[in-house]
Amino acid sequence: MAWERLPGRGCGALHRCLLGAALLLGLRLCTELRRAGAQPPARSGLPGPDPRPPEPLLPPAPAQRRGASRRQVTYVRSGRRAPPGGGGSGTQEPGCCPPRGRPRRKGPRWHIDLQPWAGPARSLDEEALRFLRYISTIQVVFQAQIACDHVSTDSLATDSSPSKKPWSVCLDDRFGLGHQIRNKQCRLYSLGLGSDDTHFEVSMANDGCEVHRFDPTVKSAHILESERFWYHRLSVDWRDSHPAVAAQKPYSNTRKLRTILNEFGHHKIDVLKADLESAEWKVLENLILEDVFEQIGQLIFEIHLHWPGFEVSGSDSSVVRFWYSLLKELELQDFRLFHSYKDLSKPQLFLKKDIFNASSCYTLSWVNTRWK
């Protein structure tokens, strides 16, 4: 009896060894089949392969990481269309409607792109001569300048007295401002202080423009001066004021232009006129960084050169380089300088120095060549 039980125990151990080896071999086979992209054979008692047709596989990359195809599916489902031919990377094919002009930036900008130095010495002479040549020479056609055949320094009215300052607009038909004025669909924003002359604004309002003048010195929040002329007790700045400060000082309420446009529900400004008394450089920088210029048709700014301006610091050469870079950013936004006025009634100072035969004040006018 003892002899007959021994073979039984040996056979049971042998069966278990063979079963374990078969399972290991099956697992290895399934692993190899999965790596090869095939389905493992169905076994009795277990579910067979998925009856749905398999999803098309992406072309294998030389060093594709595991999970790359799963990330690609998520990318496609997010609403962005993959390029023709499969794959989530590579050069994007041109669409039906390519963007015009400068490619739009994605995400916020925190600083402007400074232009290269004017010369190897990085001196004030080099930077100032480049800057003054850029804003003064209108007759020579540069990339940043354009000829305007119908420049108005007053308005469309023929019986108005000449304005004290040459706030110039371009009335060429290709830019549409004259048509907007005649149809009484023009909008003008004026940024300044109460002591400034408002002859230009009154003339534009009489011609049919909806005029909004932002002046922190007026006593009421909103004043309708005439049928088309509004005063607003707001100061346009390069930053919004803190709510607590605005509540304590209602007469010094400041807003960024982007904030004002959103609050008023205005999407376009045909003309933006500004005399900000040396705050123009930081306001220009803010308008560039927040991409506001695509909502502006023409721009008239009085610039001041007798000192760097509010919150502009650095050496004299770096300050002028910053000024020049702002003007070149306008050029990249498809704005072209069509008029420049040198105010000889102001002190002839350039960064507190009587040099370069420069005035401390210029009035510059640009037109948005993509304006519709």
Side-chain angles (χ1 to χ4, degrees):
M1 294 296 294
W3 176 259
E4 292 177 359
R5 287 195 297 269
L6 289 174
R9 293 178 180 175
C11 290
L14 181 60
H15 288 337
R16 286 193 295 272
C17 291
L18 292 175
L19 181 60
L23 288 175
L24 290 175
L25 182 61
L27 289 174
R28 179 172 297 179
L29 178 61
C30 289
T31 302
E32 296 297 331
L33 288 174
R34 286 195 182 98
R35 291 179 178 175
Q39 294 286 345
R43 291 181 292 171
S44 60
L46 297 176
D50 192 349
R52 296 174 297 178
E55 295 183 1
L57 296 175
L58 297 174
Q64 188 176 14
R65 299 189 303 269
R66 182 177 296 178
S69 60
R70 181 180 299 276
R71 287 195 297 272
Q72 173 63 22
V73 172
T74 304
Y75 174 79
V76 173
R77 287 180 181 174
S78 66
R80 299 178 66 180
R81 187 172 299 173
S89 60
T91 304
Q92 186 177 359
E93 296 293 331
C96 65
C97 306
R100 297 180 302 169
R102 182 188 187 187
R104 295 297 302 274
R105 293 177 180 264
K106 297 180 180 179
R109 294 179 63 188
W110 303 108
H111 58 82
I112 66 166
D113 298 328
L114 290 176
Q115 292 292 311
W117 291 96
R122 302 184 179 184
S123 64
L124 175 60
D125 288 356
E126 293 171 338
E127 296 298 326
L129 290 176
R130 177 176 67 172
F131 175 81
L132 293 172
R133 187 183 301 115
Y134 189 88
I135 67 173
S136 302
T137 312
I138 299 300
Q139 300 302 325
V140 181
V141 179
F142 291 100
Q143 291 182 353
Q145 298 172 344
I146 194 170
C148 178
D149 297 328
H150 302 89
V151 177
S152 173
T153 57
D154 183 20
S155 69
L156 292 182
T158 58
D159 56 349
S160 299
S161 60
S163 58
K164 295 181 180 179
K165 292 184 179 181
W167 302 107
S168 302
V169 294
C170 182
L171 299 178
D172 287 1
D173 290 339
R174 53 181 169 160
F175 302 128
L177 179 59
H179 176 77
Q180 294 292 98
I181 293 175
R182 288 188 290 270
N183 290 335
K184 300 188 183 303
Q185 296 178 348
C186 165
R187 179 176 293 128
L188 164 69
Y189 270 31
S190 175
L191 320 179
L193 298 175
S195 59
D196 288 346
D197 177 61
T198 59
H199 181 84
F200 175 75
E201 289 85 345
V202 172
S203 297
M204 295 292 284
N206 292 337
D207 287 332
C209 269
E210 172 190 329
V211 177
H212 297 268
R213 179 165 176 81
F214 299 91
D215 186 346
T217 65
V218 299
K219 296 182 179 180
S220 299
H222 307 285
I223 300 175
L224 183 59
E225 181 74 12
S226 62
E227 181 182 0
R228 295 179 177 273
F229 192 177
W230 284 90
Y231 276 93
H232 306 282
R233 191 182 60 206
L234 287 172
S235 174
V236 176
D237 204 355
W238 59 93
R239 57 197 168 198
D240 289 329
S241 61
H242 192 277
V245 176
Q248 295 175 2
K249 299 180 180 180
Y251 290 94
S252 61
N253 200 5
T254 61
R255 296 279 197 283
K256 295 186 297 184
L257 185 59
R258 168 71 75 188
T259 303
I260 293 176
L261 289 171
N262 292 336
E263 291 179 355
F264 285 22
H266 293 163
H267 303 291
K268 288 187 176 183
I269 305 172
D270 293 282
V271 180
L272 175 63
K273 174 220 171 191
D275 181 6
L276 298 174
E277 302 299 337
S278 299
E280 63 272 5
W281 299 115
K282 293 299 291 185
V283 171
L284 273 174
E285 182 185 37
N286 171 256
L287 299 182
I288 292 168
L289 297 180
E290 295 197 350
D291 205 14
V292 181
F293 280 115
E294 65 177 7
Q295 300 175 253
I296 299 173
Q298 297 194 28
L299 181 68
I300 314 171
F301 259 59
E302 184 174 276
I303 62 172
H304 303 86
L305 310 180
H306 59 286
W307 71 296
F310 292 103
E311 295 196 12
V312 178
S313 60
S315 64
D316 287 348
S317 58
S318 63
V319 166
V320 181
R321 181 192 181 199
F322 173 71
W323 292 347
Y324 179 74
S325 299
L326 287 174
L327 302 188
K328 293 297 286 186
E329 286 275 357
L330 283 175
E331 180 183 340
L332 293 176
Q333 298 278 349
D334 294 303
F335 277 77
R336 299 294 182 264
L337 185 67
F338 69 88
H339 190 266
S340 175
Y341 171 74
K342 179 181 179 180
D343 193 346
L344 298 178
S345 66
K346 297 294 179 67
Q348 306 299 295
L349 293 177
F350 189 91
L351 292 178
K352 303 180 181 180
K353 303 178 182 68
D354 185 7
I355 53 176
F356 308 120
N357 193 29
S359 172
S360 60
C361 180
Y362 290 78
T363 303
L364 307 178
S365 300
W366 292 266
V367 61
N368 185 348
T369 57
R370 292 195 301 166
W371 188 250
K372 296 295 183 181

